[in-house]
Amino acid sequence: MKLTGVRPAAAFALWATLWTPALWAQTPEATAPCRVAGVAHEVRCGVVQRPLDPGQPNGPQIDIHFMVVPAVARRRLPDPVFLLAGGPGQSAIALAPAVLPLFARLNNRRDIVFVDQRGTGRSAPLECEDRPHASLAEAVGVDAQAERLQVCLTRLAAVAPLRSTDDLRFFTTTIAMQDLDAVRAQLGAERINLVGASYGTRAALEYARLYPQHLRRSVLDGVAPPDMVLPVSGGIDTQAAFDAMLSDCERSPACQRAHPTLRAEWLALLASLPKPVSAIHPRTGQRENFILDTERVLGAVRGPLYAPSLAAGLPQAISEAARGRYEPLLGLAEALSRRRSGTLAMGMHFSVLCAEDGPQLGRAKLDGTASASRATPDTPFIDQAGQLYRRACAFWPRGAVPEAFYKIPPASSATLLLSGGLDPATPPRHADRAARALGAKARQITVANAGHGLMGMGCVRDVMFRFVNAADDAAALAIDASCLTGIPRPPAFEPVTVAPAGPETAVAGKDGR
């Protein structure tokens, strides 16, 4: 059959529609060919219009943008895989270039869908000022951050389609999952598979609560359940991860030899702050004079804890900082930021967390965590983030969150929960609680020496593929994940040193021998 006036890709799509019974029936207007930066081949992009306020369906609208990476195989399966990004505030489309290699096997027969959640990426982004080359002299304390957020809040009120700051109330997870289901419906998929990362796991759990009939499988990587008060648990879990790093160094003969007084050096460094220092900016390469304070040091340490390969450099970096050389610590913090894809839309970030976590700040927590106690010299990370969120959520508009949002119902379909034992943000204790609530259709896997996010580690992508590809829930829950056992913690970094030349070496150098 000859198709005139049709591009080869479109002709192939039409042929597949006619001859492949397993193909899900997208409507012609659902997507259009497009190019996305970082993705080598042509993909398809689409938009769904959604009301800003679900209570006013005829009011101002938001364009929810999404990208579809079509399956490679001719006989594709009808249940696509949707990625739910983290943060909250990450753009799923911006993550696509980094994530697609992990989805290669799934993409053979399934479309991979990236939806920019409302408030992120291309979907009415709520972005505050991004300062990638900010001076080291710029204040990073709670007062300065809260002041910048107030400026951002005023600016966002004038960003279409917002009519006032009150419209920030409509950027909650529950409303965003209603948007996600609208994308599913526009694509014509009866059921979908979800892969959520970090905050994306909370979004996936909310989608499962709202639309269990449309969910086939879920993979939750770095589980952040809805009853987890992120600003509070984050400080507690970061402190636990940091303490584990110190203890591991003390148990390691090599690390103990190199850093016999690491814990004391850390306490001495904190006790010396704030103080004027000089260091080379890790991005600009320019030397700067600035005040080094506790907030900057804690932030620089917290970032590398997310990735054990970077955390391996912390003993050396802390020892160097205690001796007055701060470039290693600042450089480690910068290394993590360079690994991240895109930036967080901070307006969306605070709209979500102030609505969902804000009401729980300062009192007993639903996840069983006691109200944050004050930090001590031995526990400086405790309540580090909580201070900022209590301050910001006092003036940030809060959306309505249904009480049912905080309760996880039993899973109606197989759910895989992945946790890293060294994770400073979403350690296994949160996945434990979620798995108990999900019940018999949940499978929890913990990798003791992994950090935040397992998808890029070793054989996890194959485990994820087998889980999603399994014929039924029973087979999915029974997959073999033994390849994840025995992964070691990266040993502490030891700098290479060169011994000074001795007399014999000097003589040999002169006569060439």
Side-chain angles (χ1 to χ4, degrees):
M1 171 169 39
K2 184 178 182 181
L3 300 174
T4 59
V6 180
R7 296 174 61 187
F12 174 80
L14 179 58
W15 183 92
T17 303
L18 294 173
W19 295 104
T20 306
L23 178 67
W24 106 59
Q26 291 189 43
T27 56
E29 67 276 8
T31 59
C34 66
R35 289 281 183 177
V36 172
V39 179
H41 50 83
E42 185 178 82
V43 293
R44 300 191 68 85
C45 295
V47 179
V48 291
Q49 273 207 337
R50 298 285 299 159
L52 171 64
D53 176 1
Q56 298 181 25
N58 297 321
Q61 302 291 302
I62 286 181
D63 286 341
I64 303 298
H65 289 256
F66 61 93
M67 179 185 87
V68 180
V69 182
V72 175
R74 184 172 296 176
R75 292 181 60 84
R76 59 178 176 162
L77 296 170
D79 46 287
V81 176
F82 279 57
L83 175 77
L84 296 174
Q90 279 187 315
S91 159
I93 293 175
L95 284 173
V99 169
L100 275 173
L102 309 180
F103 286 67
R105 292 186 70 186
L106 284 169
N107 196 203
N108 186 48
R109 296 193 65 192
R110 288 182 170 86
D111 289 359
I112 312 297
V113 183
F114 299 84
V115 181
D116 273 350
Q117 185 169 329
R118 62 167 57 200
T120 73
R122 307 176 185 182
S123 302
L126 303 178
E127 296 175 344
C128 296
E129 183 184 4
D130 182 28
R131 302 176 311 283
H133 301 294
S135 167
L136 294 172
E138 183 174 291
V140 296
V142 172
D143 290 344
Q145 292 181 73
E147 183 178 335
R148 288 194 286 266
L149 284 171
Q150 286 181 317
V151 171
C152 178
L153 180 61
T154 301
R155 188 181 63 81
L156 289 175
V159 176
L162 272 61
R163 300 156 297 185
S164 70
T165 55
D166 282 348
D167 284 340
L168 292 169
R169 296 176 296 123
F170 306 120
F171 289 82
T172 64
T173 304
T174 299
I175 297 174
M177 291 306 97
Q178 295 168 5
D179 297 339
L180 191 83
D181 197 60
V183 173
R184 175 206 61 79
Q186 178 155 316
L187 291 175
E190 182 59 32
R191 293 198 302 167
I192 61 176
N193 305 283
L194 294 181
V195 177
S198 193
Y199 160 75
T201 67
R202 174 183 285 194
L205 288 167
E206 178 65 351
Y207 186 89
R209 183 183 75 84
L210 295 172
Y211 305 104
Q213 72 278 19
H214 293 309
L215 185 57
R216 179 179 172 273
R217 298 275 158 77
S218 297
V219 178
L220 310 180
D221 185 9
V223 185
D227 67 352
M228 171 188 177
V229 184
L230 289 162
V232 175
S233 63
I236 295 169
D237 295 330
T238 298
Q239 186 65 56
F242 181 77
D243 290 342
M245 185 274 295
L246 292 178
S247 297
D248 284 352
C249 182
E250 291 166 348
R251 287 192 295 264
S252 164
C255 189
Q256 183 62 13
R257 281 195 304 271
H259 309 286
T261 59
L262 181 62
R263 197 180 293 268
E265 288 176 331
W266 168 247
L267 294 175
L269 172 63
L270 293 182
S272 71
L273 304 177
K275 63 181 177 181
V277 301
S278 174
I280 296 174
H281 194 298
R283 286 205 184 191
T284 66
Q286 301 298 312
R287 180 166 292 278
E288 296 187 22
N289 298 315
F290 60 100
I291 300 298
L292 184 68
D293 55 20
T294 303
E295 288 82 0
R296 188 180 296 278
V297 168
L298 295 182
V301 169
R302 184 176 190 270
L305 288 172
Y306 276 67
S309 58
L310 293 179
L314 281 175
Q316 182 67 27
I318 290 170
S319 292
E320 294 273 9
R323 298 181 181 95
R325 185 170 176 263
Y326 308 102
E327 284 83 0
L329 190 56
L330 297 172
L332 275 180
E334 174 63 18
L336 180 78
S337 68
R338 285 184 181 274
R339 288 173 54 156
R340 292 172 175 167
S341 297
T343 57
L344 291 185
M346 296 307 294
M348 179 270 197
H349 179 90
F350 280 92
S351 294
V352 169
L353 291 188
C354 287
E356 298 168 4
D357 300 49
Q360 311 306 323
L361 292 171
R363 63 174 189 260
K365 305 302 178 286
L366 296 174
D367 70 355
T369 299
S371 296
S373 59
R374 290 183 179 275
T376 68
D378 291 328
T379 59
F381 292 99
I382 297 296
D383 203 34
Q384 181 200 7
Q387 296 178 53
L388 173 62
Y389 285 87
R390 276 192 295 274
R391 180 81 165 270
C393 291
F395 60 78
W396 203 271
R398 293 188 186 183
V401 179
E403 189 61 32
F405 169 83
Y406 297 101
K407 296 178 173 59
I408 302 174
S412 60
S413 57
T415 304
L416 180 65
L417 297 87
L418 304 172
S419 297
L422 303 179
D423 188 350
T426 57
R429 71 185 184 97
H430 301 293
D432 294 344
R433 191 172 65 260
R436 287 194 299 271
L438 291 167
K441 290 200 173 184
R443 167 83 181 274
Q444 182 180 0
I445 296 175
T446 297
V447 180
N449 290 313
H452 186 62
L454 271 63
M455 272 189 282
M457 170 176 281
C459 64
V460 173
R461 68 190 73 182
D462 295 322
V463 170
M464 182 170 64
F465 167 77
R466 293 196 299 272
F467 176 80
V468 174
N469 206 50
D472 54 41
D473 282 351
L477 295 169
I479 57 166
D480 180 11
S482 58
C483 61
L484 292 171
T485 60
I487 295 176
R489 179 168 190 156
F493 165 77
E494 294 185 44
V496 176
T497 57
V498 178
E504 295 84 359
T505 305
V507 171
K510 288 179 180 179
D511 61 13
R513 289 181 294 170

